[in-house]
Amino acid sequence: MFAWLHEERKLRKWDRKAQEIRDAYAEDIRKARSERDGDKWNDLLSTCEFEASVYEDEAAEIRSNRVVSRARRLSLPIPYKQEDSDHWWQSRTLGIWALTDVGLAELRRAIRLEEKERRDVWLAWGGMLVSILSLVVAILALLIA
């Protein structure tokens, strides 16, 4: 529980840092664009994207690790990390691997389906158990009365 909260705080912090970097560069980028200074605009934009991507990549890795660990707990297959994979991408700034939007969506869908199937089994057994206990209570009530 506390690990999840710690990760969530870290995720929000990284997202906030990336947005702060983009906001810090926004005015200079707009100014260079209005002055039609292509070299300065391109330099500012690439620097901004590089600095923000460091934090965004960290956040993507945390999100991916969270989903992968849930899938592992449920014994679900996890796609292989490959260069040409539709499920994984490798960061150019940090070299970390993270799930793509497609990979996240498919793994989350598989997790939801597996959790639903497991829950349905317990609900069926629970319903049956409640019925049996109700029958026992009714029979005891008839015997005592």
Side-chain angles (χ1 to χ4, degrees), residues 93-113:
T93 54
L94 300 176
I96 61 164
W97 286 90
L99 286 166
T100 63
D101 291 338
V102 172
L104 275 172
E106 287 182 13
L107 213 47
R108 283 183 179 147
R109 189 176 311 114
I111 289 169
R112 278 193 305 271
L113 183 61

PDB file of all heavy atoms in Angstrom, residues 93-113:
ATOM      1  N   THR A  93      16.776   8.702 -24.289  1.00  0.00           N
ATOM      2  CA  THR A  93      17.518   9.503 -23.316  1.00  0.00           C
ATOM      3  C   THR A  93      18.091   8.650 -22.190  1.00  0.00           C
ATOM      4  O   THR A  93      19.242   8.813 -21.817  1.00  0.00           O
ATOM      5  CB  THR A  93      16.626  10.597 -22.710  1.00  0.00           C
ATOM      6  OG1 THR A  93      15.444  10.000 -22.174  1.00  0.00           O
ATOM      7  CG2 THR A  93      16.242  11.619 -23.746  1.00  0.00           C
ATOM      8  N   LEU A  94      17.293   7.749 -21.632  1.00  0.00           N
ATOM      9  CA  LEU A  94      17.738   6.954 -20.489  1.00  0.00           C
ATOM     10  C   LEU A  94      18.005   5.490 -20.827  1.00  0.00           C
ATOM     11  O   LEU A  94      18.601   4.776 -20.038  1.00  0.00           O
ATOM     12  CB  LEU A  94      16.690   7.014 -19.366  1.00  0.00           C
ATOM     13  CG  LEU A  94      16.376   8.405 -18.819  1.00  0.00           C
ATOM     14  CD1 LEU A  94      15.270   8.325 -17.784  1.00  0.00           C
ATOM     15  CD2 LEU A  94      17.614   9.036 -18.218  1.00  0.00           C
ATOM     16  N   GLY A  95      17.515   5.030 -21.966  1.00  0.00           N
ATOM     17  CA  GLY A  95      17.716   3.643 -22.361  1.00  0.00           C
ATOM     18  C   GLY A  95      16.793   2.657 -21.663  1.00  0.00           C
ATOM     19  O   GLY A  95      17.001   1.455 -21.746  1.00  0.00           O
ATOM     20  N   ILE A  96      15.792   3.150 -20.960  1.00  0.00           N
ATOM     21  CA  ILE A  96      14.869   2.263 -20.251  1.00  0.00           C
ATOM     22  C   ILE A  96      13.810   1.731 -21.207  1.00  0.00           C
ATOM     23  O   ILE A  96      13.558   2.306 -22.267  1.00  0.00           O
ATOM     24  CB  ILE A  96      14.183   2.986 -19.078  1.00  0.00           C
ATOM     25  CG1 ILE A  96      13.371   4.181 -19.606  1.00  0.00           C
ATOM     26  CG2 ILE A  96      15.181   3.403 -18.035  1.00  0.00           C
ATOM     27  CD1 ILE A  96      12.383   4.715 -18.655  1.00  0.00           C
ATOM     28  N   TRP A  97      13.179   0.618 -20.823  1.00  0.00           N
ATOM     29  CA  TRP A  97      12.098   0.043 -21.598  1.00  0.00           C
ATOM     30  C   TRP A  97      10.778   0.372 -20.909  1.00  0.00           C
ATOM     31  O   TRP A  97      10.672   0.299 -19.693  1.00  0.00           O
ATOM     32  CB  TRP A  97      12.249  -1.470 -21.687  1.00  0.00           C
ATOM     33  CG  TRP A  97      13.338  -1.895 -22.600  1.00  0.00           C
ATOM     34  CD1 TRP A  97      14.639  -2.109 -22.270  1.00  0.00           C
ATOM     35  CD2 TRP A  97      13.223  -2.160 -23.996  1.00  0.00           C
ATOM     36  NE1 TRP A  97      15.358  -2.485 -23.373  1.00  0.00           N
ATOM     37  CE2 TRP A  97      14.501  -2.532 -24.456  1.00  0.00           C
ATOM     38  CE3 TRP A  97      12.183  -2.133 -24.909  1.00  0.00           C
ATOM     39  CZ2 TRP A  97      14.759  -2.866 -25.776  1.00  0.00           C
ATOM     40  CZ3 TRP A  97      12.434  -2.461 -26.222  1.00  0.00           C
ATOM     41  CH2 TRP A  97      13.710  -2.820 -26.649  1.00  0.00           C
ATOM     42  N   ALA A  98       9.779   0.711 -21.716  1.00  0.00           N
ATOM     43  CA  ALA A  98       8.446   0.996 -21.190  1.00  0.00           C
ATOM     44  C   ALA A  98       7.417   0.470 -22.176  1.00  0.00           C
ATOM     45  O   ALA A  98       7.689   0.326 -23.367  1.00  0.00           O
ATOM     46  CB  ALA A  98       8.266   2.493 -20.983  1.00  0.00           C
ATOM     47  N   LEU A  99       6.244   0.175 -21.660  1.00  0.00           N
ATOM     48  CA  LEU A  99       5.156  -0.307 -22.512  1.00  0.00           C
ATOM     49  C   LEU A  99       4.600   0.832 -23.355  1.00  0.00           C
ATOM     50  O   LEU A  99       4.469   1.963 -22.885  1.00  0.00           O
ATOM     51  CB  LEU A  99       4.032  -0.892 -21.660  1.00  0.00           C
ATOM     52  CG  LEU A  99       4.298  -2.242 -21.027  1.00  0.00           C
ATOM     53  CD1 LEU A  99       3.264  -2.540 -19.949  1.00  0.00           C
ATOM     54  CD2 LEU A  99       4.291  -3.335 -22.072  1.00  0.00           C
ATOM     55  N   THR A 100       4.271   0.521 -24.592  1.00  0.00           N
ATOM     56  CA  THR A 100       3.598   1.500 -25.453  1.00  0.00           C
ATOM     57  C   THR A 100       2.143   1.602 -25.013  1.00  0.00           C
ATOM     58  O   THR A 100       1.675   0.840 -24.162  1.00  0.00           O
ATOM     59  CB  THR A 100       3.657   1.066 -26.924  1.00  0.00           C
ATOM     60  OG1 THR A 100       2.946  -0.172 -27.056  1.00  0.00           O
ATOM     61  CG2 THR A 100       5.079   0.923 -27.423  1.00  0.00           C
ATOM     62  N   ASP A 101       1.403   2.516 -25.607  1.00  0.00           N
ATOM     63  CA  ASP A 101      -0.016   2.640 -25.289  1.00  0.00           C
ATOM     64  C   ASP A 101      -0.755   1.345 -25.631  1.00  0.00           C
ATOM     65  O   ASP A 101      -1.643   0.910 -24.894  1.00  0.00           O
ATOM     66  CB  ASP A 101      -0.639   3.821 -26.042  1.00  0.00           C
ATOM     67  CG  ASP A 101      -0.121   5.158 -25.535  1.00  0.00           C
ATOM     68  OD1 ASP A 101       0.357   5.202 -24.377  1.00  0.00           O
ATOM     69  OD2 ASP A 101      -0.190   6.141 -26.284  1.00  0.00           O
ATOM     70  N   VAL A 102      -0.376   0.732 -26.751  1.00  0.00           N
ATOM     71  CA  VAL A 102      -0.987  -0.545 -27.158  1.00  0.00           C
ATOM     72  C   VAL A 102      -0.667  -1.635 -26.143  1.00  0.00           C
ATOM     73  O   VAL A 102      -1.534  -2.386 -25.714  1.00  0.00           O
ATOM     74  CB  VAL A 102      -0.502  -0.958 -28.570  1.00  0.00           C
ATOM     75  CG1 VAL A 102      -0.957  -2.357 -28.915  1.00  0.00           C
ATOM     76  CG2 VAL A 102      -0.981   0.034 -29.608  1.00  0.00           C
ATOM     77  N   GLY A 103       0.596  -1.709 -25.726  1.00  0.00           N
ATOM     78  CA  GLY A 103       1.012  -2.709 -24.751  1.00  0.00           C
ATOM     79  C   GLY A 103       0.324  -2.532 -23.413  1.00  0.00           C
ATOM     80  O   GLY A 103      -0.131  -3.504 -22.801  1.00  0.00           O
ATOM     81  N   LEU A 104       0.228  -1.266 -22.951  1.00  0.00           N
ATOM     82  CA  LEU A 104      -0.472  -0.990 -21.699  1.00  0.00           C
ATOM     83  C   LEU A 104      -1.938  -1.392 -21.788  1.00  0.00           C
ATOM     84  O   LEU A 104      -2.469  -2.026 -20.877  1.00  0.00           O
ATOM     85  CB  LEU A 104      -0.374   0.498 -21.352  1.00  0.00           C
ATOM     86  CG  LEU A 104       0.861   0.961 -20.610  1.00  0.00           C
ATOM     87  CD1 LEU A 104       0.893   2.482 -20.527  1.00  0.00           C
ATOM     88  CD2 LEU A 104       0.906   0.370 -19.227  1.00  0.00           C
ATOM     89  N   ALA A 105      -2.586  -1.022 -22.883  1.00  0.00           N
ATOM     90  CA  ALA A 105      -4.010  -1.325 -23.040  1.00  0.00           C
ATOM     91  C   ALA A 105      -4.259  -2.834 -23.068  1.00  0.00           C
ATOM     92  O   ALA A 105      -5.175  -3.334 -22.407  1.00  0.00           O
ATOM     93  CB  ALA A 105      -4.549  -0.674 -24.308  1.00  0.00           C
ATOM     94  N   GLU A 106      -3.436  -3.570 -23.810  1.00  0.00           N
ATOM     95  CA  GLU A 106      -3.633  -5.016 -23.903  1.00  0.00           C
ATOM     96  C   GLU A 106      -3.361  -5.709 -22.574  1.00  0.00           C
ATOM     97  O   GLU A 106      -4.102  -6.607 -22.177  1.00  0.00           O
ATOM     98  CB  GLU A 106      -2.746  -5.601 -24.995  1.00  0.00           C
ATOM     99  CG  GLU A 106      -3.229  -5.276 -26.385  1.00  0.00           C
ATOM    100  CD  GLU A 106      -2.378  -5.902 -27.471  1.00  0.00           C
ATOM    101  OE1 GLU A 106      -1.547  -6.791 -27.157  1.00  0.00           O
ATOM    102  OE2 GLU A 106      -2.544  -5.506 -28.637  1.00  0.00           O
ATOM    103  N   LEU A 107      -2.321  -5.291 -21.882  1.00  0.00           N
ATOM    104  CA  LEU A 107      -1.998  -5.918 -20.599  1.00  0.00           C
ATOM    105  C   LEU A 107      -3.058  -5.579 -19.552  1.00  0.00           C
ATOM    106  O   LEU A 107      -3.466  -6.445 -18.778  1.00  0.00           O
ATOM    107  CB  LEU A 107      -0.615  -5.466 -20.138  1.00  0.00           C
ATOM    108  CG  LEU A 107       0.216  -6.463 -19.364  1.00  0.00           C
ATOM    109  CD1 LEU A 107       0.239  -7.837 -20.002  1.00  0.00           C
ATOM    110  CD2 LEU A 107       1.627  -5.956 -19.199  1.00  0.00           C
ATOM    111  N   ARG A 108      -3.528  -4.347 -19.547  1.00  0.00           N
ATOM    112  CA  ARG A 108      -4.603  -3.970 -18.611  1.00  0.00           C
ATOM    113  C   ARG A 108      -5.879  -4.750 -18.905  1.00  0.00           C
ATOM    114  O   ARG A 108      -6.586  -5.176 -17.989  1.00  0.00           O
ATOM    115  CB  ARG A 108      -4.877  -2.471 -18.696  1.00  0.00           C
ATOM    116  CG  ARG A 108      -3.864  -1.647 -17.983  1.00  0.00           C
ATOM    117  CD  ARG A 108      -4.241  -0.185 -18.041  1.00  0.00           C
ATOM    118  NE  ARG A 108      -3.264   0.618 -17.334  1.00  0.00           N
ATOM    119  CZ  ARG A 108      -2.935   1.842 -17.676  1.00  0.00           C
ATOM    120  NH1 ARG A 108      -3.500   2.416 -18.714  1.00  0.00           N
ATOM    121  NH2 ARG A 108      -2.044   2.511 -16.976  1.00  0.00           N
ATOM    122  N   ARG A 109      -6.187  -4.915 -20.184  1.00  0.00           N
ATOM    123  CA  ARG A 109      -7.377  -5.681 -20.560  1.00  0.00           C
ATOM    124  C   ARG A 109      -7.259  -7.126 -20.072  1.00  0.00           C
ATOM    125  O   ARG A 109      -8.203  -7.691 -19.525  1.00  0.00           O
ATOM    126  CB  ARG A 109      -7.568  -5.644 -22.078  1.00  0.00           C
ATOM    127  CG  ARG A 109      -8.886  -6.221 -22.542  1.00  0.00           C
ATOM    128  CD  ARG A 109      -9.101  -6.074 -24.054  1.00  0.00           C
ATOM    129  NE  ARG A 109      -8.838  -4.730 -24.542  1.00  0.00           N
ATOM    130  CZ  ARG A 109      -7.852  -4.402 -25.376  1.00  0.00           C
ATOM    131  NH1 ARG A 109      -7.016  -5.306 -25.819  1.00  0.00           N
ATOM    132  NH2 ARG A 109      -7.694  -3.152 -25.776  1.00  0.00           N
ATOM    133  N   ALA A 110      -6.090  -7.719 -20.246  1.00  0.00           N
ATOM    134  CA  ALA A 110      -5.868  -9.095 -19.788  1.00  0.00           C
ATOM    135  C   ALA A 110      -5.968  -9.185 -18.266  1.00  0.00           C
ATOM    136  O   ALA A 110      -6.533 -10.151 -17.729  1.00  0.00           O
ATOM    137  CB  ALA A 110      -4.509  -9.591 -20.265  1.00  0.00           C
ATOM    138  N   ILE A 111      -5.447  -8.185 -17.559  1.00  0.00           N
ATOM    139  CA  ILE A 111      -5.523  -8.166 -16.098  1.00  0.00           C
ATOM    140  C   ILE A 111      -6.978  -8.073 -15.643  1.00  0.00           C
ATOM    141  O   ILE A 111      -7.408  -8.816 -14.756  1.00  0.00           O
ATOM    142  CB  ILE A 111      -4.690  -7.001 -15.528  1.00  0.00           C
ATOM    143  CG1 ILE A 111      -3.204  -7.283 -15.697  1.00  0.00           C
ATOM    144  CG2 ILE A 111      -5.028  -6.743 -14.063  1.00  0.00           C
ATOM    145  CD1 ILE A 111      -2.305  -6.089 -15.406  1.00  0.00           C
ATOM    146  N   ARG A 112      -7.740  -7.157 -16.256  1.00  0.00           N
ATOM    147  CA  ARG A 112      -9.155  -7.017 -15.880  1.00  0.00           C
ATOM    148  C   ARG A 112      -9.922  -8.313 -16.122  1.00  0.00           C
ATOM    149  O   ARG A 112     -10.729  -8.726 -15.285  1.00  0.00           O
ATOM    150  CB  ARG A 112      -9.798  -5.879 -16.673  1.00  0.00           C
ATOM    151  CG  ARG A 112      -9.542  -4.521 -16.083  1.00  0.00           C
ATOM    152  CD  ARG A 112     -10.451  -3.472 -16.707  1.00  0.00           C
ATOM    153  NE  ARG A 112     -10.375  -3.418 -18.156  1.00  0.00           N
ATOM    154  CZ  ARG A 112      -9.524  -2.680 -18.843  1.00  0.00           C
ATOM    155  NH1 ARG A 112      -8.664  -1.919 -18.217  1.00  0.00           N
ATOM    156  NH2 ARG A 112      -9.532  -2.685 -20.152  1.00  0.00           N
ATOM    157  N   LEU A 113      -9.667  -8.956 -17.251  1.00  0.00           N
ATOM    158  CA  LEU A 113     -10.358 -10.193 -17.578  1.00  0.00           C
ATOM    159  C   LEU A 113     -10.016 -11.298 -16.579  1.00  0.00           C
ATOM    160  O   LEU A 113     -10.907 -12.001 -16.087  1.00  0.00           O
ATOM    161  CB  LEU A 113     -10.003 -10.633 -18.995  1.00  0.00           C
ATOM    162  CG  LEU A 113     -10.701 -11.880 -19.521  1.00  0.00           C
ATOM    163  CD1 LEU A 113     -12.204 -11.672 -19.568  1.00  0.00           C
ATOM    164  CD2 LEU A 113     -10.173 -12.238 -20.888  1.00  0.00           C
TER     165      LEU A 113
END
